[in-house]
Every structure is written in C-alpha cells, then in structure tokens.
Amino acid sequence: MTTVPRPARPSRAVEAQEGVKDLIVRRGLVAGDSLPTESELMEELRVSRNSVREALKALQAVGIVEIRHGFGMFVGRMSLAGLVDELTFHSRITLQNGANHLAHLVEIREILESGLVQRLIELGPEVDLTPVADVMARMEGEAQAGLVSPETDRLFHDVLYRPLGNPLVSRLLGAFWDVYYQLRDALGAPDEPPADVARRHRDIYTAVLKGDTDAAVAAVHAHFEGVRNRTARIGG
C-alpha cells in the first residue's frame, strides 16, 4: 500500500501572515487604518515575535502592510510597484536572449485600451471630456515645439478613461507605462515625428467625442503601431 505523504505544514511566519490578513478582513479595516502592535499581534495570533516580524516584513513587501517607523503599522495602500519592478527586470533580461516580453506587454495594453475606449463610448455623449481636450491642447503645443513629453502622453490616457470610474484602470495602465518608460534606453528614439504622435491621440479623442466606436478602436490600434515598431527593433 502506497503511503501518501502529508503536505508540509506552513511555517509559523506564513501562518502569521494569514492571521494578519484575516484580522484586517474580520475587523473591516481599510487602507490607512492602524494595525495592532507587534505585542498585540503576538498575543492574538499566538506566535513568537520573530514570526510576527517575518510576517509583517513579507506583507510589507507586497503592500498589504505599511510600517511607518515611529508611528506604527497600518493597512497598506494598493500599489503595483512590485509588479512593475518584476516586469521591468524580466523584460530587460529577456532582451538579452532574443525574446521580447515588452512587446507582449504592449500587446496586452493595446487590447485593454481597445476595450476601454468602447466602454467609454457606451457611457454616452453626456461624458465630460473637457480634461482630455485640455491635455490635447497641451500635447499639440508640445508637438509644435518639437517634442511630446512622456508625462503628457501618459496623462492623456489617464484622463481619457477617468469617466469609467474604475481606479484599477489608471493603476494598470500606469504600471505598463512605468515598465515601458524604464526600458526607454533599450527602445531608442521614437520613430514618429511629434506631430504624428499628437495627431494619433487627436484621432482617438475625436472618435470618442463623436461616439464612433469603430473609428475609436481603429485609432487606438494606429496609435500603438508606433509603439510596436519601437519594440520590434529590440527583439523578435
């Protein structure tokens, strides 16, 4: 008769991590709320100080816990910084062996924005696009001066989708942008003249303003054509 090995029991530190997360949920705590002290956690979770500290360190690394020295411990605010660091690192090392994970990230973002722009149009003509118009004016002014700044480009996509009321959209697009920007040296100079960059963004804005879904999706794909060309130069 074959003996099935029992699964290894989680370490006390791992159990403490789950205990802290369960405590946050049970007490209905939200980002920024104060957490119990180390001593209080030791008593409630029935673990050693070392286990509590290991657990808190691990939870801090993933943004669940925020430790402010001299002030205490708090429920962390959601951050994708760890994801950005990991994606940037792996994208960078894959460039060395002929792969191009950055191109895959750009493809995901293009698919995401193609869907988002359709959802935006579905909200109807009452959506206030004045902030987008303001960014568009800024972008076209920069284009006339000879350079569209990365900050303005990023801001356009941020304000465009704000009417959707989904805060994760901004965070996800921002994470993709951060990875792309951190690898800018490997990407080299943009292929598109600044005037073309502004025009492609203008096409997206105009299509959304008119409520033309097909034109908006086509404009998003056209916008990402320049991005795809840059990533194609550094890998296959």
Side-chain angles (χ1 to χ4, degrees):
M1 180 177 178
T2 303
T3 302
V4 178
R6 294 181 179 179
R9 179 179 175 179
S11 69
R12 297 296 285 169
V14 172
E15 289 180 349
Q17 288 181 46
E18 295 305 313
V20 172
K21 289 190 287 186
D22 182 62
L23 179 149
I24 292 171
V25 174
R26 282 189 291 104
R27 295 190 180 183
L29 302 180
V30 296
D33 284 351
S34 179
L35 289 172
T37 64
E38 280 188 3
S39 298
E40 291 170 338
L41 288 173
M42 289 169 56
E43 182 177 351
E44 178 155 347
L45 303 178
R46 297 181 181 180
V47 293
S48 68
R49 187 176 299 276
N50 283 341
S51 294
V52 167
R53 287 182 174 176
E54 284 184 43
L56 292 172
K57 185 177 180 180
L59 293 173
Q60 182 183 29
V62 294
I64 293 176
V65 169
E66 180 183 356
I67 300 175
R68 304 176 197 167
H69 297 290
F71 294 93
M73 298 180 296
F74 305 85
V75 179
R77 302 185 186 281
M78 188 174 64
S79 170
L80 298 182
L83 175 65
V84 169
D85 289 343
E86 185 174 351
L87 289 175
T88 301
F89 174 76
H90 285 288
S91 294
R92 193 182 301 279
I93 63 175
T94 54
L95 294 178
Q96 300 174 356
N97 58 23
N100 192 347
H101 284 188
L102 183 59
H104 300 154
L105 288 176
V106 170
E107 180 181 19
I108 292 171
R109 183 181 161 190
E110 181 177 355
I111 293 170
L112 179 61
E113 290 209 39
S114 297
L116 290 173
V117 79
Q118 295 180 64
R119 293 293 299 273
L120 184 61
I121 291 174
E122 288 172 3
L123 294 180
E126 65 275 9
V127 172
D128 181 14
L129 295 177
T130 303
V132 188
D134 294 339
V135 177
M136 228 19 273
R138 170 176 160 180
M139 180 180 291
E140 288 170 342
E142 291 181 350
Q144 289 181 356
L147 178 66
V148 173
S149 69
E151 293 77 16
T152 300
D153 193 328
R154 178 174 183 165
L155 184 60
F156 173 88
H157 297 271
D158 185 24
V159 300
L160 179 65
Y161 302 117
R162 282 183 189 173
L164 293 175
N166 187 335
L168 285 179
V169 168
S170 177
R171 291 181 181 274
L172 284 172
L173 293 182
F176 289 146
W177 180 271
D178 287 339
V179 174
Y180 184 80
Y181 187 70
Q182 289 184 38
L183 294 173
R184 62 190 181 281
D185 291 339
L187 288 167
D191 295 320
E192 294 179 292
D196 288 353
V197 173
R199 177 178 53 79
R200 290 185 187 275
H201 286 83
R202 168 65 71 175
D203 289 344
I204 297 173
Y205 167 67
T206 300
V208 171
L209 199 62
K210 292 180 177 180
D212 189 333
T213 300
D214 291 339
V217 173
V220 168
H221 290 315
H223 164 59
F224 278 94
E225 181 180 355
V227 183
R228 289 194 301 270
N229 289 340
R230 291 185 74 185
T231 58
R233 295 186 314 201
I234 59 174

mmCIF file of all heavy atoms in Angstrom, residues 177-219:
data_model
loop_
_atom_site.group_PDB
_atom_site.id
_atom_site.type_symbol
_atom_site.label_atom_id
_atom_site.label_comp_id
_atom_site.label_asym_id
_atom_site.label_seq_id
_atom_site.Cartn_x
_atom_site.Cartn_y
_atom_site.Cartn_z
ATOM 1 N N TRP A 177 2.941 51.589 -18.308
ATOM 2 C CA TRP A 177 3.710 52.747 -18.736
ATOM 3 C C TRP A 177 5.061 52.798 -18.019
ATOM 4 O O TRP A 177 6.093 53.086 -18.627
ATOM 5 C CB TRP A 177 2.930 54.033 -18.484
ATOM 6 C CG TRP A 177 3.691 55.245 -18.918
ATOM 7 C CD1 TRP A 177 4.572 55.979 -18.188
ATOM 8 C CD2 TRP A 177 3.684 55.841 -20.221
ATOM 9 N NE1 TRP A 177 5.103 56.995 -18.939
ATOM 10 C CE2 TRP A 177 4.579 56.924 -20.191
ATOM 11 C CE3 TRP A 177 2.998 55.544 -21.396
ATOM 12 C CZ2 TRP A 177 4.808 57.723 -21.308
ATOM 13 C CZ3 TRP A 177 3.228 56.355 -22.503
ATOM 14 C CH2 TRP A 177 4.110 57.419 -22.447
ATOM 15 N N ASP A 178 5.070 52.529 -16.734
ATOM 16 C CA ASP A 178 6.311 52.584 -15.959
ATOM 17 C C ASP A 178 7.338 51.581 -16.479
ATOM 18 O O ASP A 178 8.531 51.882 -16.570
ATOM 19 C CB ASP A 178 6.029 52.309 -14.477
ATOM 20 C CG ASP A 178 5.342 53.474 -13.788
ATOM 21 O OD1 ASP A 178 5.430 54.605 -14.301
ATOM 22 O OD2 ASP A 178 4.714 53.252 -12.737
ATOM 23 N N VAL A 179 6.880 50.372 -16.818
ATOM 24 C CA VAL A 179 7.796 49.365 -17.369
ATOM 25 C C VAL A 179 8.371 49.856 -18.689
ATOM 26 O O VAL A 179 9.581 49.805 -18.921
ATOM 27 C CB VAL A 179 7.065 48.020 -17.575
ATOM 28 C CG1 VAL A 179 7.992 47.021 -18.278
ATOM 29 C CG2 VAL A 179 6.596 47.448 -16.242
ATOM 30 N N TYR A 180 7.486 50.340 -19.542
ATOM 31 C CA TYR A 180 7.902 50.828 -20.862
ATOM 32 C C TYR A 180 8.898 51.977 -20.726
ATOM 33 O O TYR A 180 9.927 52.014 -21.405
ATOM 34 C CB TYR A 180 6.656 51.287 -21.623
ATOM 35 C CG TYR A 180 6.897 51.740 -23.041
ATOM 36 C CD1 TYR A 180 7.047 50.817 -24.066
ATOM 37 C CD2 TYR A 180 6.947 53.092 -23.366
ATOM 38 C CE1 TYR A 180 7.243 51.225 -25.375
ATOM 39 C CE2 TYR A 180 7.148 53.522 -24.664
ATOM 40 C CZ TYR A 180 7.293 52.586 -25.668
ATOM 41 O OH TYR A 180 7.500 53.002 -26.948
ATOM 42 N N TYR A 181 8.616 52.898 -19.796
ATOM 43 C CA TYR A 181 9.480 54.072 -19.638
ATOM 44 C C TYR A 181 10.845 53.691 -19.067
ATOM 45 O O TYR A 181 11.866 54.248 -19.463
ATOM 46 C CB TYR A 181 8.792 55.094 -18.733
ATOM 47 C CG TYR A 181 9.536 56.408 -18.637
ATOM 48 C CD1 TYR A 181 9.592 57.279 -19.730
ATOM 49 C CD2 TYR A 181 10.207 56.770 -17.470
ATOM 50 C CE1 TYR A 181 10.285 58.471 -19.659
ATOM 51 C CE2 TYR A 181 10.895 57.974 -17.396
ATOM 52 C CZ TYR A 181 10.933 58.815 -18.481
ATOM 53 O OH TYR A 181 11.621 60.007 -18.414
ATOM 54 N N GLN A 182 10.871 52.725 -18.145
ATOM 55 C CA GLN A 182 12.136 52.320 -17.557
ATOM 56 C C GLN A 182 13.043 51.620 -18.561
ATOM 57 O O GLN A 182 14.258 51.540 -18.358
ATOM 58 C CB GLN A 182 11.889 51.415 -16.342
ATOM 59 C CG GLN A 182 11.314 52.156 -15.141
ATOM 60 C CD GLN A 182 11.165 51.276 -13.922
ATOM 61 O OE1 GLN A 182 12.003 50.425 -13.648
ATOM 62 N NE2 GLN A 182 10.086 51.471 -13.172
ATOM 63 N N LEU A 183 12.462 51.121 -19.645
ATOM 64 C CA LEU A 183 13.257 50.452 -20.681
ATOM 65 C C LEU A 183 13.479 51.358 -21.894
ATOM 66 O O LEU A 183 13.850 50.889 -22.960
ATOM 67 C CB LEU A 183 12.556 49.162 -21.125
ATOM 68 C CG LEU A 183 12.451 48.072 -20.054
ATOM 69 C CD1 LEU A 183 11.589 46.927 -20.556
ATOM 70 C CD2 LEU A 183 13.823 47.569 -19.657
ATOM 71 N N ARG A 184 13.272 52.650 -21.702
ATOM 72 C CA ARG A 184 13.350 53.593 -22.829
ATOM 73 C C ARG A 184 14.728 53.611 -23.490
ATOM 74 O O ARG A 184 14.827 53.827 -24.705
ATOM 75 C CB ARG A 184 12.975 55.002 -22.371
ATOM 76 C CG ARG A 184 13.881 55.593 -21.322
ATOM 77 C CD ARG A 184 13.292 56.880 -20.745
ATOM 78 N NE ARG A 184 14.144 57.500 -19.733
ATOM 79 C CZ ARG A 184 14.225 57.107 -18.477
ATOM 80 N NH1 ARG A 184 13.503 56.073 -18.067
ATOM 81 N NH2 ARG A 184 15.015 57.726 -17.630
ATOM 82 N N ASP A 185 15.797 53.387 -22.717
ATOM 83 C CA ASP A 185 17.135 53.401 -23.309
ATOM 84 C C ASP A 185 17.310 52.266 -24.306
ATOM 85 O O ASP A 185 17.947 52.433 -25.354
ATOM 86 C CB ASP A 185 18.207 53.310 -22.218
ATOM 87 C CG ASP A 185 18.272 54.569 -21.367
ATOM 88 O OD1 ASP A 185 17.805 55.625 -21.840
ATOM 89 O OD2 ASP A 185 18.769 54.496 -20.235
ATOM 90 N N ALA A 186 16.752 51.103 -23.989
ATOM 91 C CA ALA A 186 16.836 49.967 -24.910
ATOM 92 C C ALA A 186 15.962 50.186 -26.141
ATOM 93 O O ALA A 186 16.263 49.697 -27.229
ATOM 94 C CB ALA A 186 16.411 48.679 -24.194
ATOM 95 N N LEU A 187 14.877 50.943 -25.977
ATOM 96 C CA LEU A 187 13.952 51.182 -27.086
ATOM 97 C C LEU A 187 14.512 52.146 -28.117
ATOM 98 O O LEU A 187 14.173 52.075 -29.298
ATOM 99 C CB LEU A 187 12.631 51.740 -26.547
ATOM 100 C CG LEU A 187 11.751 50.752 -25.788
ATOM 101 C CD1 LEU A 187 10.655 51.485 -25.044
ATOM 102 C CD2 LEU A 187 11.157 49.730 -26.735
ATOM 103 N N GLY A 188 15.356 53.060 -27.676
ATOM 104 C CA GLY A 188 15.884 54.063 -28.593
ATOM 105 C C GLY A 188 14.900 55.182 -28.844
ATOM 106 O O GLY A 188 13.826 55.248 -28.247
ATOM 107 N N ALA A 189 15.246 56.069 -29.737
ATOM 108 C CA ALA A 189 14.420 57.248 -30.026
ATOM 109 C C ALA A 189 13.131 56.854 -30.744
ATOM 110 O O ALA A 189 13.108 55.891 -31.510
ATOM 111 C CB ALA A 189 15.202 58.236 -30.881
ATOM 112 N N PRO A 190 12.031 57.578 -30.500
ATOM 113 C CA PRO A 190 10.771 57.290 -31.199
ATOM 114 C C PRO A 190 10.919 57.463 -32.700
ATOM 115 O O PRO A 190 11.676 58.299 -33.181
ATOM 116 C CB PRO A 190 9.810 58.333 -30.614
ATOM 117 C CG PRO A 190 10.423 58.772 -29.331
ATOM 118 C CD PRO A 190 11.907 58.679 -29.538
ATOM 119 N N ASP A 191 10.176 56.636 -33.443
ATOM 120 C CA ASP A 191 10.196 56.730 -34.905
ATOM 121 C C ASP A 191 9.288 57.846 -35.405
ATOM 122 O O ASP A 191 9.534 58.442 -36.442
ATOM 123 C CB ASP A 191 9.736 55.405 -35.532
ATOM 124 C CG ASP A 191 10.698 54.267 -35.231
ATOM 125 O OD1 ASP A 191 11.914 54.511 -35.256
ATOM 126 O OD2 ASP A 191 10.224 53.147 -34.980
ATOM 127 N N GLU A 192 8.217 58.111 -34.678
ATOM 128 C CA GLU A 192 7.205 59.046 -35.142
ATOM 129 C C GLU A 192 7.586 60.496 -34.853
ATOM 130 O O GLU A 192 8.058 60.809 -33.759
ATOM 131 C CB GLU A 192 5.872 58.759 -34.465
ATOM 132 C CG GLU A 192 5.238 57.436 -34.821
ATOM 133 C CD GLU A 192 3.926 57.259 -34.078
ATOM 134 O OE1 GLU A 192 3.963 57.116 -32.846
ATOM 135 O OE2 GLU A 192 2.866 57.274 -34.736
ATOM 136 N N PRO A 193 7.370 61.386 -35.810
ATOM 137 C CA PRO A 193 7.527 62.820 -35.532
ATOM 138 C C PRO A 193 6.511 63.256 -34.486
ATOM 139 O O PRO A 193 5.426 62.679 -34.395
ATOM 140 C CB PRO A 193 7.237 63.475 -36.892
ATOM 141 C CG PRO A 193 7.402 62.381 -37.895
ATOM 142 C CD PRO A 193 6.997 61.121 -37.205
ATOM 143 N N PRO A 194 6.829 64.253 -33.676
ATOM 144 C CA PRO A 194 5.904 64.721 -32.640
ATOM 145 C C PRO A 194 4.519 65.072 -33.185
ATOM 146 O O PRO A 194 3.504 64.814 -32.513
ATOM 147 C CB PRO A 194 6.612 65.951 -32.078
ATOM 148 C CG PRO A 194 8.060 65.701 -32.334
ATOM 149 C CD PRO A 194 8.115 64.972 -33.629
ATOM 150 N N ALA A 195 4.455 65.631 -34.373
ATOM 151 C CA ALA A 195 3.156 65.995 -34.951
ATOM 152 C C ALA A 195 2.289 64.759 -35.180
ATOM 153 O O ALA A 195 1.064 64.798 -34.988
ATOM 154 C CB ALA A 195 3.353 66.746 -36.264
ATOM 155 N N ASP A 196 2.921 63.646 -35.581
ATOM 156 C CA ASP A 196 2.171 62.402 -35.792
ATOM 157 C C ASP A 196 1.683 61.812 -34.476
ATOM 158 O O ASP A 196 0.582 61.261 -34.398
ATOM 159 C CB ASP A 196 3.043 61.380 -36.530
ATOM 160 C CG ASP A 196 3.254 61.743 -37.995
ATOM 161 O OD1 ASP A 196 2.618 62.711 -38.465
ATOM 162 O OD2 ASP A 196 4.058 61.074 -38.671
ATOM 163 N N VAL A 197 2.505 61.921 -33.441
ATOM 164 C CA VAL A 197 2.109 61.443 -32.117
ATOM 165 C C VAL A 197 0.851 62.184 -31.661
ATOM 166 O O VAL A 197 -0.126 61.581 -31.211
ATOM 167 C CB VAL A 197 3.245 61.642 -31.090
ATOM 168 C CG1 VAL A 197 2.762 61.305 -29.683
ATOM 169 C CG2 VAL A 197 4.455 60.797 -31.454
ATOM 170 N N ALA A 198 0.877 63.492 -31.783
ATOM 171 C CA ALA A 198 -0.275 64.304 -31.382
ATOM 172 C C ALA A 198 -1.498 63.977 -32.238
ATOM 173 O O ALA A 198 -2.626 63.898 -31.727
ATOM 174 C CB ALA A 198 0.066 65.786 -31.496
ATOM 175 N N ARG A 199 -1.278 63.784 -33.534
ATOM 176 C CA ARG A 199 -2.407 63.500 -34.432
ATOM 177 C C ARG A 199 -3.078 62.182 -34.079
ATOM 178 O O ARG A 199 -4.316 62.078 -34.094
ATOM 179 C CB ARG A 199 -1.928 63.460 -35.878
ATOM 180 C CG ARG A 199 -3.019 63.095 -36.890
ATOM 181 C CD ARG A 199 -2.484 63.122 -38.303
ATOM 182 N NE ARG A 199 -1.290 62.294 -38.456
ATOM 183 C CZ ARG A 199 -1.325 60.961 -38.582
ATOM 184 N NH1 ARG A 199 -2.490 60.315 -38.552
ATOM 185 N NH2 ARG A 199 -0.204 60.291 -38.745
ATOM 186 N N ARG A 200 -2.297 61.179 -33.742
ATOM 187 C CA ARG A 200 -2.879 59.874 -33.404
ATOM 188 C C ARG A 200 -3.721 59.969 -32.125
ATOM 189 O O ARG A 200 -4.774 59.336 -32.013
ATOM 190 C CB ARG A 200 -1.781 58.828 -33.259
ATOM 191 C CG ARG A 200 -1.114 58.455 -34.594
ATOM 192 C CD ARG A 200 -0.131 57.325 -34.408
ATOM 193 N NE ARG A 200 0.644 57.046 -35.613
ATOM 194 C CZ ARG A 200 0.244 56.259 -36.607
ATOM 195 N NH1 ARG A 200 -0.952 55.702 -36.557
ATOM 196 N NH2 ARG A 200 1.023 56.045 -37.649
ATOM 197 N N HIS A 201 -3.253 60.754 -31.173
ATOM 198 C CA HIS A 201 -4.034 60.956 -29.956
ATOM 199 C C HIS A 201 -5.296 61.764 -30.261
ATOM 200 O O HIS A 201 -6.370 61.500 -29.709
ATOM 201 C CB HIS A 201 -3.195 61.659 -28.891
ATOM 202 C CG HIS A 201 -2.170 60.776 -28.243
ATOM 203 N ND1 HIS A 201 -0.937 60.532 -28.807
ATOM 204 C CD2 HIS A 201 -2.198 60.073 -27.082
ATOM 205 C CE1 HIS A 201 -0.248 59.719 -28.021
ATOM 206 N NE2 HIS A 201 -0.981 59.428 -26.966
ATOM 207 N N ARG A 202 -5.152 62.758 -31.129
ATOM 208 C CA ARG A 202 -6.304 63.566 -31.541
ATOM 209 C C ARG A 202 -7.356 62.674 -32.198
ATOM 210 O O ARG A 202 -8.563 62.865 -31.983
ATOM 211 C CB ARG A 202 -5.842 64.662 -32.487
ATOM 212 C CG ARG A 202 -6.931 65.412 -33.239
ATOM 213 C CD ARG A 202 -7.840 66.207 -32.341
ATOM 214 N NE ARG A 202 -7.182 67.382 -31.769
ATOM 215 C CZ ARG A 202 -7.821 68.280 -31.021
ATOM 216 N NH1 ARG A 202 -9.106 68.134 -30.746
ATOM 217 N NH2 ARG A 202 -7.160 69.313 -30.513
ATOM 218 N N ASP A 203 -6.936 61.703 -32.990
ATOM 219 C CA ASP A 203 -7.872 60.798 -33.661
ATOM 220 C C ASP A 203 -8.679 59.993 -32.646
ATOM 221 O O ASP A 203 -9.888 59.781 -32.823
ATOM 222 C CB ASP A 203 -7.122 59.854 -34.604
ATOM 223 C CG ASP A 203 -6.569 60.557 -35.837
ATOM 224 O OD1 ASP A 203 -7.021 61.685 -36.119
ATOM 225 O OD2 ASP A 203 -5.688 59.980 -36.503
ATOM 226 N N ILE A 204 -8.017 59.539 -31.581
ATOM 227 C CA ILE A 204 -8.730 58.803 -30.540
ATOM 228 C C ILE A 204 -9.761 59.707 -29.875
ATOM 229 O O ILE A 204 -10.929 59.343 -29.714
ATOM 230 C CB ILE A 204 -7.742 58.255 -29.481
ATOM 231 C CG1 ILE A 204 -6.770 57.251 -30.112
ATOM 232 C CG2 ILE A 204 -8.509 57.606 -28.324
ATOM 233 C CD1 ILE A 204 -5.671 56.790 -29.168
ATOM 234 N N TYR A 205 -9.321 60.886 -29.489
ATOM 235 C CA TYR A 205 -10.197 61.839 -28.807
ATOM 236 C C TYR A 205 -11.398 62.206 -29.679
ATOM 237 O O TYR A 205 -12.550 62.211 -29.211
ATOM 238 C CB TYR A 205 -9.400 63.096 -28.440
ATOM 239 C CG TYR A 205 -10.249 64.272 -28.023
ATOM 240 C CD1 TYR A 205 -10.981 64.237 -26.834
ATOM 241 C CD2 TYR A 205 -10.324 65.421 -28.817
ATOM 242 C CE1 TYR A 205 -11.772 65.320 -26.455
ATOM 243 C CE2 TYR A 205 -11.103 66.493 -28.438
ATOM 244 C CZ TYR A 205 -11.827 66.437 -27.263
ATOM 245 O OH TYR A 205 -12.605 67.501 -26.880
ATOM 246 N N THR A 206 -11.163 62.496 -30.945
ATOM 247 C CA THR A 206 -12.243 62.892 -31.854
ATOM 248 C C THR A 206 -13.265 61.782 -32.033
ATOM 249 O O THR A 206 -14.476 62.020 -32.031
ATOM 250 C CB THR A 206 -11.664 63.294 -33.221
ATOM 251 O OG1 THR A 206 -10.758 64.389 -33.052
ATOM 252 C CG2 THR A 206 -12.771 63.696 -34.185
ATOM 253 N N ALA A 207 -12.770 60.538 -32.188
ATOM 254 C CA ALA A 207 -13.675 59.401 -32.380
ATOM 255 C C ALA A 207 -14.551 59.192 -31.142
ATOM 256 O O ALA A 207 -15.746 58.912 -31.258
ATOM 257 C CB ALA A 207 -12.877 58.141 -32.686
ATOM 258 N N VAL A 208 -13.948 59.321 -29.953
ATOM 259 C CA VAL A 208 -14.726 59.175 -28.717
ATOM 260 C C VAL A 208 -15.754 60.295 -28.612
ATOM 261 O O VAL A 208 -16.909 60.063 -28.245
ATOM 262 C CB VAL A 208 -13.797 59.174 -27.481
ATOM 263 C CG1 VAL A 208 -14.620 59.237 -26.192
ATOM 264 C CG2 VAL A 208 -12.901 57.952 -27.485
ATOM 265 N N LEU A 209 -15.351 61.499 -28.951
ATOM 266 C CA LEU A 209 -16.240 62.653 -28.892
ATOM 267 C C LEU A 209 -17.443 62.456 -29.808
ATOM 268 O O LEU A 209 -18.576 62.829 -29.467
ATOM 269 C CB LEU A 209 -15.464 63.910 -29.285
ATOM 270 C CG LEU A 209 -16.042 65.267 -28.885
ATOM 271 C CD1 LEU A 209 -16.136 65.378 -27.365
ATOM 272 C CD2 LEU A 209 -15.184 66.396 -29.451
ATOM 273 N N LYS A 210 -17.223 61.831 -30.954
ATOM 274 C CA LYS A 210 -18.299 61.592 -31.912
ATOM 275 C C LYS A 210 -19.101 60.335 -31.584
ATOM 276 O O LYS A 210 -20.157 60.096 -32.207
ATOM 277 C CB LYS A 210 -17.729 61.473 -33.326
ATOM 278 C CG LYS A 210 -17.148 62.770 -33.876
ATOM 279 C CD LYS A 210 -16.614 62.560 -35.289
ATOM 280 C CE LYS A 210 -16.095 63.858 -35.883
ATOM 281 N NZ LYS A 210 -15.563 63.657 -37.263
ATOM 282 N N GLY A 211 -18.596 59.519 -30.663
ATOM 283 C CA GLY A 211 -19.279 58.279 -30.335
ATOM 284 C C GLY A 211 -19.120 57.226 -31.402
ATOM 285 O O GLY A 211 -19.940 56.304 -31.516
ATOM 286 N N ASP A 212 -18.046 57.311 -32.184
ATOM 287 C CA ASP A 212 -17.793 56.372 -33.283
ATOM 288 C C ASP A 212 -16.881 55.255 -32.778
ATOM 289 O O ASP A 212 -15.659 55.401 -32.736
ATOM 290 C CB ASP A 212 -17.136 57.119 -34.448
ATOM 291 C CG ASP A 212 -17.047 56.279 -35.712
ATOM 292 O OD1 ASP A 212 -16.997 55.037 -35.592
ATOM 293 O OD2 ASP A 212 -17.006 56.869 -36.812
ATOM 294 N N THR A 213 -17.489 54.129 -32.400
ATOM 295 C CA THR A 213 -16.730 53.024 -31.805
ATOM 296 C C THR A 213 -15.690 52.458 -32.765
ATOM 297 O O THR A 213 -14.537 52.226 -32.374
ATOM 298 C CB THR A 213 -17.688 51.903 -31.363
ATOM 299 O OG1 THR A 213 -18.608 52.423 -30.404
ATOM 300 C CG2 THR A 213 -16.920 50.754 -30.740
ATOM 301 N N ASP A 214 -16.081 52.200 -34.007
ATOM 302 C CA ASP A 214 -15.144 51.612 -34.976
ATOM 303 C C ASP A 214 -13.937 52.521 -35.191
ATOM 304 O O ASP A 214 -12.787 52.057 -35.227
ATOM 305 C CB ASP A 214 -15.844 51.348 -36.316
ATOM 306 C CG ASP A 214 -16.872 50.228 -36.213
ATOM 307 O OD1 ASP A 214 -16.774 49.417 -35.267
ATOM 308 O OD2 ASP A 214 -17.767 50.170 -37.079
ATOM 309 N N ALA A 215 -14.194 53.810 -35.329
ATOM 310 C CA ALA A 215 -13.099 54.750 -35.549
ATOM 311 C C ALA A 215 -12.212 54.852 -34.314
ATOM 312 O O ALA A 215 -10.992 54.979 -34.426
ATOM 313 C CB ALA A 215 -13.665 56.131 -35.903
ATOM 314 N N ALA A 216 -12.805 54.770 -33.142
ATOM 315 C CA ALA A 216 -12.028 54.865 -31.901
ATOM 316 C C ALA A 216 -11.099 53.669 -31.756
ATOM 317 O O ALA A 216 -9.920 53.820 -31.418
ATOM 318 C CB ALA A 216 -12.960 54.958 -30.700
ATOM 319 N N VAL A 217 -11.616 52.473 -32.003
ATOM 320 C CA VAL A 217 -10.790 51.265 -31.908
ATOM 321 C C VAL A 217 -9.680 51.302 -32.951
ATOM 322 O O VAL A 217 -8.522 50.962 -32.664
ATOM 323 C CB VAL A 217 -11.659 50.000 -32.076
ATOM 324 C CG1 VAL A 217 -10.778 48.755 -32.161
ATOM 325 C CG2 VAL A 217 -12.635 49.873 -30.917
ATOM 326 N N ALA A 218 -10.020 51.724 -34.163
ATOM 327 C CA ALA A 218 -9.006 51.825 -35.221
ATOM 328 C C ALA A 218 -7.935 52.838 -34.837
ATOM 329 O O ALA A 218 -6.742 52.628 -35.099
ATOM 330 C CB ALA A 218 -9.671 52.232 -36.540
ATOM 331 N N ALA A 219 -8.331 53.936 -34.205
ATOM 332 C CA ALA A 219 -7.377 54.961 -33.790
ATOM 333 C C ALA A 219 -6.459 54.442 -32.690
ATOM 334 O O ALA A 219 -5.266 54.775 -32.653
ATOM 335 C CB ALA A 219 -8.125 56.202 -33.314
#
